[in-house]
Structure formats: structure tokens, C-alpha cells
């Protein structure tokens, strides 16, 4: 890794999130009591099975194929042992983790291949195209929509192409404020490298600790501070794509009118056209000051109007998050009676000027930049917020949010251990439609949960602002239906997706399409739009080996999305 970047984190737990050497913290007693009373939990904890009990079919690559791949990437660059295959058998979506924890993933790659440079990457793709071996690009493995599922499509075998050995900084241009990196570099490692030089990328998705930058670009990622810094598509100035048919090398330029934007066609391509091997990214001077604080609104509608005013009057902070009533209540309940959240909870129950109504909503606003600039922007933004009934409650809520901003995946693991289904989904729409879509999607989720016999809690927050609209990020929890956890999840997911599409929202704002959202892609872009993307795939990936069963349904995409083989036994 480049000087100053630091070491990558260890590989994640194969059954969940985080360092496999760290002991899970567990849920505090008050959180378990709240869950027991509201949605119900298992009588006994349900930990994941031991790694050796995970059932996989034997690897299916021939010795000849393994030997050919080892000649390309080196003897230690091809792995087909049990633990490596399990570690690349799935991403981190709810269905992935349910299956992994039970020791029964849908399938696993026949081998994991680690190229260490562009020429090796190209040679691997060329060999796999000739040999009809499907290739699944694998960065941090953080996909929550089936984006790294080891599907083989029409091919006889599948390999995971792990980019972990392509994690170097290539060049830093301080004058132009750009950095070139290999796509396997982790976002956290780049941020450490830049921070040591007084710079920042400003891209902080919830998967920040583990996600690769190539994965961010391939999935059109959005970070928690993207209201201020912009999403990854705004940061990518140039890239190099290795496709089975050849390379596309787009230089880092500030703007171009040279035909349709190829960068935008490749950002968000989800590994279906080729592998992004290198990226040139815009960076900024690191902020001298960060101020995060809390604001209460009387209700969600008032908060939405305030955020719209901030966005349309160009006064939005870098971070702007508005929790609806249910999410505000649950956040405070899970935080417990002590500390800053306890004091905030007491304030929630006693805000003056809101009468007896107790359906308040908490927003987090975060300002970053030079001290004087932050003070002026904050003053203007808070004046707008107050004009819409907002009540600033100080910096403690903001500090608490910042300290726990990457903790949700760890909490999900603990909820699964206690038999609680927890899932997230997101969308975006125009301001004029936002509250209606919020109601309709929330209602669809709640009704499907109740129809399935497991009523739960449905929560939402606005997480990213634009002049014309905003995103909605839903979380729902319910007790798992022990006889059919995947069927329970799928029914709710489908109901929510249909409500999103029918309600005028995008099927995904930043989680990507992957496998889970693929059935809704045509609703989003139309049949001719799908045809255009399939034509591009046929040109760059004529053998159809790149990430089958993701993004697009059609030629070179397995219609059923079946894995190579199911678990053994």
C-alpha cells in the first residue's frame, strides 16, 4: 500500500460485519427489553454455525484451469480452500447473512483469484472468456443487493475476482486536487493517506470501514456527507476499465463535450461490463472544523419543508439527516436512559412550544470547512431551520451520531442473533412527491409484515438533499419467521419495491441494482433503455462472463439468476 495509507482491515467475519478477531459486544439489557416488548425476540440466542459446518459443493474448476490461472497471477494468487470460498460466497445483504449463519449459502465461487496489476487482470479476463468461466468482481464484499453473488449464468464455473492486491495510490496531483488509485484500495485507507496530507475525498458510506473505491464507483455509491461533497459519480474524473473485449481508458479531465458521457456509463455498471482497475478522483482540502448538531421538528412534514428550504436556498450542510417519528422514538429507546441520548430523550418529551404532541422528529446537521466559513453557513442554515419551527438542541446529538455513524451493520448482526429480521431499502423522489412516497412505502411494508403474521416497526430518514428532491432510507424490523426467514423477507421486499416504483421513486438511490433490484430495472429505464445497456454489454463482454445475473435481465444474463450449484448435503 502507498506510504501513509496504513494497513487494510482484516477480512470481515464470514457470517457478518467487522473484525473476525473482535468479540461481538452484544445488546444491552434495555435494548433487549425494548425489542422483546415491541417485536419479539427468540427465546434463546441463535449464533452462526462454526465455519467448518458451512456446507459447500466441491470446487468445480479443473486442475488445468487452476494451473492456467496460477500462471497468470502466481501460485498464491488462486485460492480454492473452504474458508476462502465461504468468505466470497455472498455479500452482506439480509438474505446473504441468514443463509451464511445457517451454514447454507446458495453457492460459492469455485476459486478466488487475486490479480496484482492491470496486465494480470486483463489476462485473467481473457482466459475466463476463452474458457467460459464467469467472473464476479469482489472489492470489499459489502453489497446488500446480491451484487457479488457467485452466479455462473450459462457458464460451467465461476471465480471471484478479489481486487485486494490492487490497492495502491498511483499519483497525487496536489495542484489539480486529484488522486489516482488502483480500484481495490479501501475508502478508509485512502482517507488516511489523504488526511496525512491535509486532504479528504469526503466519501463516507456506511460501509466506509471496508468498502473498496472500485466498488463505490461500480455501484454509484453515496456517502453520508454527500449532500455537501457529492456522490462518488461526481468525484470520478477518469477511470480505466478492463473488459473481456479490451480496455477503456478515460483520462482525468474536469469536463468534456466529446459525445455521450462514457464515464457515467461505466460508473454504476456493477461489474457487468468489465472490471474498474484504476480511478482518478477529485479531492478537497480537509476541513479545519466539523460541527454536527441536533435539531428537533414538530413532525416529519415540518422537517421536510425545512430541508427543502436548505437545499433550494443553497444553505444545506454537508450532512443532513431527518428521522421520522418512528425512527426518532426507536433511536432514543435503543440508546437507553443514560448519557447524552438520555438527556436528549428527556428534551424530546419536554420541548416547549410543541404542546402535548409527542411525535417529534430529530435531524442531524453537520457543517464542515474553515472555521469562519462554518460559522457563517451554520448561522444562515439555523435561521432557515427556525423559520420552519426547528429547535436546535446543541452539539451533543451530533457528536453521538458521528461516534456511531458506522455502527448499524454491527447492530444488525446482534439483532439476527436474537431472531430479529432487520432490513434497509432506499429510494429518492422529487420534493412534491416525498411525503406521499414516504407514507405509501411505509404502509406497504407494514401491511406485508402484518399479513405475514409478524407485525414490526417501520422507520425512515431523509439522508441526502438535492434542489429538486431527496432520498428516503427505510429500515424495518420484525421477529423472524423461523420456518421461512427468506420468504418473509422476500415478500416485504417485493411489496416495498412495487410501492416505490408505482409511487414515482427510483428503485435504488445508492444501494445499486445487483440481483435484488434487477426485476425493477425496466420500470426505471424502459425496454429501450435496457436494450441499449445490453448492446453495450454485448460489445464489451461478448461471452457474457462478467457478473451474470446482475443489473440486467436479457442476453448474457441468466434469467433465473441460479448459482453454479447449491450447498452440499
Amino acid at each position: 500500500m502507498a506510504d501513509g495509507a496504513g494497513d487494510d482491515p482484516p477480512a470481515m467475519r464470514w457470517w457478518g460485519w467487522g473484525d473476525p478477531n473482535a468479540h461481538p459486544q452484544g445488546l444491552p439489557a434495555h435494548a433487549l427489553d425494548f425489542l422483546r416488548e415491541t417485536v419479539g425476540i427468540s427465546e434463546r440466542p441463535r449464533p452462526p454455525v462454526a465455519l467448518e459446518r458451512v456446507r459447500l459443493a466441491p470446487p468445480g474448476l479443473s486442475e488445468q484451469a487452476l494451473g492456467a490461472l496460477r500462471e497468470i497471477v502466481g501460485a498464491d494468487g488462486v485460492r480454492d480452500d473452504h474458508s476462502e470460498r465461504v468468505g466470497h460466497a455472498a455479500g452482506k445483504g439480509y438474505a446473504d447473512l441468514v443463509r451464511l449463519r445457517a451454514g447454507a449459502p446458495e453457492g460459492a465461487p469455485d476459486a478466488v483469484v487475486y490479480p496484482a496489476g492491470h496486465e494480470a487482470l486483463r489476462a485473467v479476463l481473457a482466459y475466463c472468456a476463452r474458457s467460459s468461466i464467469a467472473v464476479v468482481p469482489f472489492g470489499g464484499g459489502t453489497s446488500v443487493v446480491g451484487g457479488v453473488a457467485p452466479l455462473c449464468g450459462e457458464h460451467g464455473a465461476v471465480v471471484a475476482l478479489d481486487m485486494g492486491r490492487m490497492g495502491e495510490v498511483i499519483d497525487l496531483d496536489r495542484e489539480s486536487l486529484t488522486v489516482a488509485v488502483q480500484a481495490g484500495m479501501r475508502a478508509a485507507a485512502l482517507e488516511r493517506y489523504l488526511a496525512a496530507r491535509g486532504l479528504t475525498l469526503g466519501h463516507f458510506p456506511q460501509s466506509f470501514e471496508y468498502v473498496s473505491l472500485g466498488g463505490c464507483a461500480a455501484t454509484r455509491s453515496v456517502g453520508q456527507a454527500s449532500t455537501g461533497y457529492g456522490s462518488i459519480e461526481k468525484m470520478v474524473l477518469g477511470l480505466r476499465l478492463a473488459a473481456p473485449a479490451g480496455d477503456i481508458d478515460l483520462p482525468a479531465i474536469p469536463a468534456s463535450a466529446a459525445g455521450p458521457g462514457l464515464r457515467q456509463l461505466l460508473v454504476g455498471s456493477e461489474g457487468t461490463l468489465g472490471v474498474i482497475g484504476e480511478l482518478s478522483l477529485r479531492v478537497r482540502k480537509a476541513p479545519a472544523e466539523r460541527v454536527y448538531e441536533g435539531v428537533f421538528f414538530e413532525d416529519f412534514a415540518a422537517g421536510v419543508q425545512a430541508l427543502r428550504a436548505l437545499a433550494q436556498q443553497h444553505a444545506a450542510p454537508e450532512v443532513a439527516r431527518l428521522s421520522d417519528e418512528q425512527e426518532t422514538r426507536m433511536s432514543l429507546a435503543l440508546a437507553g436512559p443514560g448519557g447524552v441520548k438520555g438527556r436528549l430523550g428527556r428534551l424530546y418529551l419536554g420541548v416547549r412550544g410543541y404542546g402535548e404532541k409527542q411525535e417529534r422528529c430529530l435531524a442531524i446537521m453537520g457543517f464542515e470547512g474553515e472555521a469562519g466559513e462554518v460559522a457563517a453557513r451554520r448561522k444562515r442554515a439555523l435561521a432557515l431551520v427556525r423559520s420552519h419551527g426547528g429547535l436546535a438542541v446543541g452539539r451533543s446529538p451530533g457528536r453521538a451520531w458521528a461516534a456511531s455513524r458506522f455502527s448499524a451493520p454491527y447492530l444488525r448482526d446482534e439483532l439476527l442473533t436474537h431472531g430479529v429480521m432487520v432490513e434497509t431499502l432506499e429510494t429518492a423522489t422529487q420534493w412534491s412527491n416525498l411525503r406521499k412516497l414516504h407514507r405509501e412505502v411505509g404502509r406497504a411494508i407494514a401491511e406485508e409484515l402484518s399479513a405475514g403474521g409478524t407485525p414490526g416497526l417501520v422507520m425512515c430518514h431523509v439522508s441526502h438533499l438535492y434542489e429538486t428532491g431527496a432520498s428516503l432510507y427505510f429500515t424495518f424490523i420484525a421477529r423472524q419467521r423461523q420456518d421461512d426467514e427468506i420468504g418473509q423477507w422476500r415478500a416485504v421486499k417485493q411489496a416495498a419495491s412495487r410501492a416505490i416504483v408505482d409511487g414515482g421513486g427510483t428503485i435504488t438511490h445508492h444501494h445499486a441494482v445487483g440481483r435484488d433490484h434487477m426485476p425493477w430495472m425496466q420500470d426505471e429505464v424502459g425496454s429501450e433503455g435496457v436494450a441499449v445497456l445490453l448492446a453495450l454489454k454485448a460489445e464489451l463482454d461478448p461471452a457474457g462472463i462478467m457478473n451474470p445475473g446482475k443489473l440486467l435481465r436479457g442476453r448474457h444474463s441468466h434469467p433465473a439468476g441460479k448459482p453454479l450449484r447449491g450447498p452440499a448435503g
Side-chain angles (χ1 to χ4, degrees):
M1 182 155 298
D3 178 51
D7 295 331
D8 277 342
M12 273 195 285
R13 294 184 177 102
W14 59 268
W15 51 265
W17 197 267
D19 184 349
N21 300 312
H23 191 274
Q25 292 185 348
L27 291 172
H30 70 267
L32 286 173
D33 289 342
F34 173 79
L35 292 168
R36 189 178 291 110
E37 293 170 4
T38 54
V39 298
I41 62 176
S42 297
E43 293 182 6
R44 297 181 181 83
R46 304 173 62 215
V49 303
L51 176 60
E52 58 270 19
R53 292 184 57 196
V54 177
R55 303 186 302 277
L56 300 180
L61 279 180
S62 67
E63 286 301 318
Q64 179 182 2
L66 289 170
L69 291 169
R70 288 183 178 121
E71 283 188 19
I72 296 170
V73 298
D76 61 347
V78 179
R79 298 275 300 275
D80 65 350
D81 54 277
H82 182 77
S83 63
E84 195 78 2
R85 294 177 67 215
V86 170
H88 293 77
K92 300 300 180 183
Y94 173 79
D96 296 329
L97 298 185
V98 168
R99 293 181 177 114
L100 283 169
R101 290 167 66 97
E106 286 186 291
D110 294 289
V112 182
V113 181
Y114 290 87
H118 184 78
E119 294 308 314
L121 176 59
R122 284 232 28 82
V124 168
L125 296 186
Y127 176 79
C128 289
R130 292 195 305 270
S131 305
S132 191
I133 299 171
V135 176
V136 178
F138 196 100
T142 63
S143 172
V144 294
V145 292
V148 295
L151 309 180
C152 67
E154 61 193 19
H155 306 286
V158 57
V159 298
L161 189 74
D162 194 302
M163 298 292 287
R165 294 186 180 181
M166 293 180 64
E168 300 285 340
V169 171
I170 300 169
D171 179 62
L172 175 64
D173 183 341
R174 296 189 67 102
E175 184 175 5
S176 303
L177 286 180
T178 62
V179 65
V181 300
Q182 291 180 312
M185 190 169 202
R186 303 295 178 97
L190 178 60
E191 198 61 34
R192 289 192 298 270
Y193 173 88
L194 294 172
R197 292 154 177 81
L199 301 170
T200 184
L201 181 64
H203 192 64
F204 301 99
Q206 195 167 81
S207 55
F208 172 74
E209 297 168 305
Y210 287 92
V211 74
S212 72
L213 290 160
C216 288
T219 58
R220 205 175 286 275
S221 172
V222 169
Q224 293 170 344
S226 288
T227 293
Y229 288 94
S231 60
I232 196 72
E233 66 185 274
K234 305 295 185 184
M235 300 175 181
V236 175
L237 302 177
L239 60 82
R240 190 179 192 186
L241 179 91
D247 288 355
I248 295 180
D249 199 347
L250 303 174
I253 48 180
S256 172
L262 283 178
R263 290 164 187 80
Q264 290 303 305
L265 281 174
L266 301 180
V267 172
S269 56
E270 301 191 27
T272 62
L273 303 178
V275 183
I276 297 174
E278 297 174 10
L279 290 163
S280 293
L281 302 162
R282 177 206 73 200
V283 299
R284 294 182 178 178
K285 183 180 178 181
E289 186 174 26
R290 291 182 172 93
V291 176
Y292 299 156
E293 56 194 308
V295 178
F296 269 127
F297 291 97
E298 185 171 4
D299 54 27
F300 190 64
V304 166
Q305 290 305 315
L307 295 188
R308 180 174 68 85
L310 289 171
Q312 293 181 344
Q313 298 186 41
H314 305 285
E318 277 65 32
V319 175
R321 298 168 67 87
L322 170 70
S323 294
D324 68 6
E325 295 85 351
Q326 185 73 284
E327 185 170 281
T328 298
R329 286 198 302 272
M330 181 171 172
S331 296
L332 296 175
L334 289 181
V340 58
K341 291 289 186 72
R343 293 194 296 275
L344 187 61
R346 291 191 291 276
L347 182 60
Y348 168 84
L349 295 174
V351 173
R352 289 177 292 180
Y354 288 171
E356 297 300 319
K357 188 176 182 181
Q358 300 200 356
E359 293 295 321
R360 302 176 188 104
C361 296
L362 177 65
I364 299 296
M365 296 172 57
F367 301 87
E368 302 185 4
E370 296 300 313
E373 174 201 5
V374 164
R377 292 174 55 221
R378 177 175 172 270
K379 180 179 179 181
R380 181 173 178 236
L382 289 179
L384 272 173
V385 163
R386 284 192 293 270
S387 72
H388 286 82
L391 177 67
V393 293
R395 301 187 184 185
S396 293
R399 286 194 293 264
W401 173 81
S404 62
R405 63 193 298 183
F406 305 125
S407 63
Y410 301 91
L411 175 61
R412 178 181 60 176
D413 287 345
E414 292 304 313
L415 292 174
L416 286 169
T417 294
H418 290 281
V420 176
M421 173 175 66
V422 55
E423 176 63 305
T424 61
L425 52 91
E426 31 68 68
T427 182
T429 191
Q430 291 182 298
W431 289 113
S432 58
N433 190 48
L434 194 77
R435 288 174 56 202
K436 180 172 180 283
L437 188 63
H438 171 252
R439 289 193 303 270
E440 292 179 352
V441 176
R443 183 185 302 119
I445 295 171
E447 289 178 352
E448 187 58 46
L449 286 171
S450 294
T454 54
L457 298 177
V458 184
M459 298 153 282
C460 183
H461 64 259
V462 175
S463 56
H464 305 89
L465 311 185
Y466 307 91
E467 286 188 59
T468 59
S471 66
L472 292 170
Y473 191 99
F474 290 87
T475 302
F476 58 89
I477 66 172
R479 183 167 181 173
Q480 284 182 321
R481 199 164 66 209
Q482 301 299 320
D483 59 331
D484 189 15
E485 295 99 327
I486 303 300
Q488 176 192 30
W489 163 81
R490 184 176 291 112
V492 181
K493 178 74 173 179
Q494 290 175 348
S497 296
R498 176 45 61 192
I500 286 171
V501 170
D502 290 347
T506 175
I507 191 59
T508 176
H509 174 257
H510 60 268
H511 281 174
V513 174
R515 179 174 58 172
D516 295 351
H517 294 145
M518 187 172 66
W520 314 100
M521 189 66 175
Q522 185 163 312
D523 292 86
E524 180 96 4
V525 303
S527 59
E528 287 303 314
V530 170
V532 168
L533 295 175
L534 286 172
L536 181 61
K537 180 172 176 64
E539 177 66 28
L540 293 176
D541 178 26
I545 63 167
M546 296 307 307
N547 213 8
K550 323 293 168 41
L551 186 62
L552 299 167
R553 176 173 289 163
R555 184 186 175 198
H556 298 321
S557 178
H558 196 291
K562 294 180 180 178
L564 174 61
R565 55 180 67 84

